[in-house]
Amino acid sequence: MAESPKSKRIHFDAPEGHMTIETVEMHTGGEPVRIIVRGYPEIKGSDILEKRRYAKENLDHIRKMLMLEPRGHDGMYGVLIVEKNLPEADMAVLFLHGEGYSTMCGHATISLGRYAVDYGVVPAISPETSLTIQCPCGPLKVNVEYSNGKTGAVSFESVPSYVVSTDQQVTVPSVGTVTYDLAYGGAYYAFVEARGIGLDLDKTPVKQCVESAGAITDELRKTLKLSHPHNPDLAFLYGTILIAGGGEEGEATQLCIFAERQVDRSPCGSGVTARVVLEYHKGTIKLGETKTFTNPKTGSKFTGTALREEEWSSHNAVVVKVEGKGHYMGESKFWLEEDDRIGTGFLF
């Protein structure tokens, strides 16, 4: 049957000379993962942190175009595949979001595991395919379930992670006196008991949670002097995670507000890593023990397991396994027309 003029499919490419960005669209637990697979200009640098700096200093307009409206939104997250420089790595990536470039992202790593197998970055091996992904915080060992030609759940082993401090206090003008713990799971997070600042993660509106957590992050960034054992580019507070449950109280929930008040729709993979390290430090989780962590707003779940202790620089570190599953949503092509000023990116 012939197609009517109205239903006829039209193939339309960007005008000649325009940069075209091609992506694979995924999500992990509701948190988006826009994997940029081709079209990005060359990312220069001898190692991945140099590449991160180069992208930030020279190509940030492309991040804004892809992460912000009208192509993205205030919760958008992306992955840029770059050239690896570690011999043991199968691929290397930079992580992008609405404010900039993160050092670690667990939810994106989980989706990347499926992508790497399904798109032929590594050969599929049943029942489990292993690969190594080079991230700004370090290499991650990733395991992907593979059965009957299909990928499934994905787990990764964290970089060595550790507790910086516990039971610290800070006065936040809009919140009051806040007690917090500080831990590293590929990125630095402050952990705050939600009920301790008058919040109920199941009932309190997201906006109120975001404002409280954002205010805590703002205040801590003024006073905290963080250092990373290997590179100063990693020494910054990424966000505040509001928590409930855990310890001896059963299933744990957590809501991560990172960067400039961006809300993670998943339980946050690097945040789960850091929280498992905290619970291990406090004696509420043992090596080999697995706990489930839930985002209270979406209901999405990750599991976290304390695998082993490691001496890492001057820290008594722990390696954590985090597991979840990413899902595909489609593929996209993006470009920017010369007269499209609004299309360069904006947020309300």
Side-chain angles (χ1 to χ4, degrees):
M1 180 182 293
E3 292 181 322
S4 70
K6 289 185 178 180
S7 66
K8 186 176 181 180
R9 179 176 294 178
I10 298 174
H11 180 73
F12 184 74
D13 285 325
E16 187 175 350
H18 280 61
M19 175 181 61
T20 300
I21 304 290
E22 297 182 32
T23 67
V24 173
E25 307 288 325
M26 301 185 72
H27 79 89
T28 309
E31 181 73 356
V33 186
R34 174 165 286 166
I35 304 172
I36 303 162
V37 297
R38 61 181 61 89
Y40 227 83
E42 179 187 2
I43 309 294
K44 297 179 181 180
S46 62
D47 62 37
I48 198 160
L49 287 174
E50 285 189 9
K51 288 178 168 61
R52 180 175 177 266
R53 287 194 294 272
Y54 182 87
K56 184 176 183 179
E57 294 169 2
N58 297 278
L59 299 171
D60 203 46
H61 59 288
I62 307 178
R63 175 194 63 81
K64 292 176 180 177
M65 184 185 83
L66 293 171
M67 296 295 104
L68 307 185
E69 297 183 52
R71 296 169 190 82
H73 49 78
D74 63 1
M76 195 65 204
Y77 206 97
V79 174
L80 175 59
I81 299 174
V82 298
E83 186 177 350
K84 63 188 179 72
N85 68 281
L86 292 181
E88 69 269 27
D90 295 289
M91 63 188 303
V93 296
L94 300 179
F95 300 118
L96 322 177
H97 50 75
E99 183 268 336
Y101 304 81
S102 59
T103 58
M104 169 57 192
C105 181
H107 90 272
T109 299
I110 288 168
S111 277
L112 279 167
R114 289 195 69 196
Y115 166 85
V117 177
D118 292 331
Y119 280 76
V121 177
V122 294
I125 299 173
S126 182
E128 188 174 75
T129 302
S130 296
L131 67 146
T132 298
I133 299 179
Q134 183 183 4
C135 304
C137 65
L140 303 177
K141 181 181 178 182
V142 180
N143 293 305
V144 185
E145 290 182 357
Y146 187 78
S147 179
N148 298 319
K150 294 183 179 180
T151 50
V154 176
S155 65
F156 67 86
E157 292 187 12
S158 72
V159 295
S161 302
Y162 54 90
V163 173
V164 178
S165 59
T166 59
D167 297 319
Q168 302 297 300
Q169 289 193 330
V170 63
T171 300
V172 182
S174 60
V175 180
T177 300
V178 177
T179 301
Y180 69 94
D181 299 328
L182 191 65
Y184 176 79
Y188 289 97
Y189 294 99
F191 288 83
V192 175
E193 288 279 354
R195 64 187 178 188
I197 56 172
L199 303 178
D200 183 323
L201 291 182
D202 293 321
K203 299 177 182 178
T204 302
V206 172
K207 184 177 180 180
Q208 186 177 344
C209 294
V210 170
E211 287 308 311
S212 295
I216 293 167
T217 300
D218 290 345
E219 194 64 33
L220 288 175
R221 284 174 177 163
K222 296 176 186 177
T223 57
L224 280 178
K225 303 297 182 184
L226 292 173
S227 63
H228 186 272
H230 296 150
N231 198 298
D233 282 6
L234 304 177
F236 63 93
L237 183 66
Y238 193 33
T240 293
I241 299 180
L242 302 174
I243 64 173
E248 304 300 328
E249 301 178 44
E251 186 169 310
T253 59
Q254 61 184 48
L255 185 67
C256 176
I257 292 84
F258 65 95
E260 295 301 323
R261 291 169 167 75
Q262 192 162 326
V263 185
D264 198 327
R265 276 73 171 163
S266 79
C268 179
S270 55
V272 166
T273 298
R275 189 167 178 191
V276 169
V277 171
L278 268 173
E279 293 212 10
Y280 180 73
H281 178 81
K282 295 181 177 183
T284 56
I285 190 171
K286 300 175 182 178
L287 290 181
E289 186 177 351
T290 298
K291 285 194 175 184
T292 299
F293 299 85
T294 303
N295 182 302
K297 303 304 182 184
T298 63
S300 61
K301 299 178 185 295
F302 290 166
T303 60
T305 306
L307 288 182
R308 61 185 179 272
E309 294 181 343
E310 283 191 11
E311 284 294 324
W312 193 62
S313 296
S314 59
H315 297 284
N316 295 319
V318 177
V319 173
V320 177
K321 182 178 82 169
V322 178
E323 183 171 319
K325 185 177 180 181
H327 291 86
Y328 290 101
M329 299 186 291
E331 297 179 349
S332 298
K333 287 185 177 181
F334 297 102
W335 58 79
L336 179 69
E337 293 187 299
E338 291 178 359
D339 62 345
D340 187 6
R341 179 186 58 82
I342 293 175
T344 57
F346 67 91
L347 284 179
F348 283 130

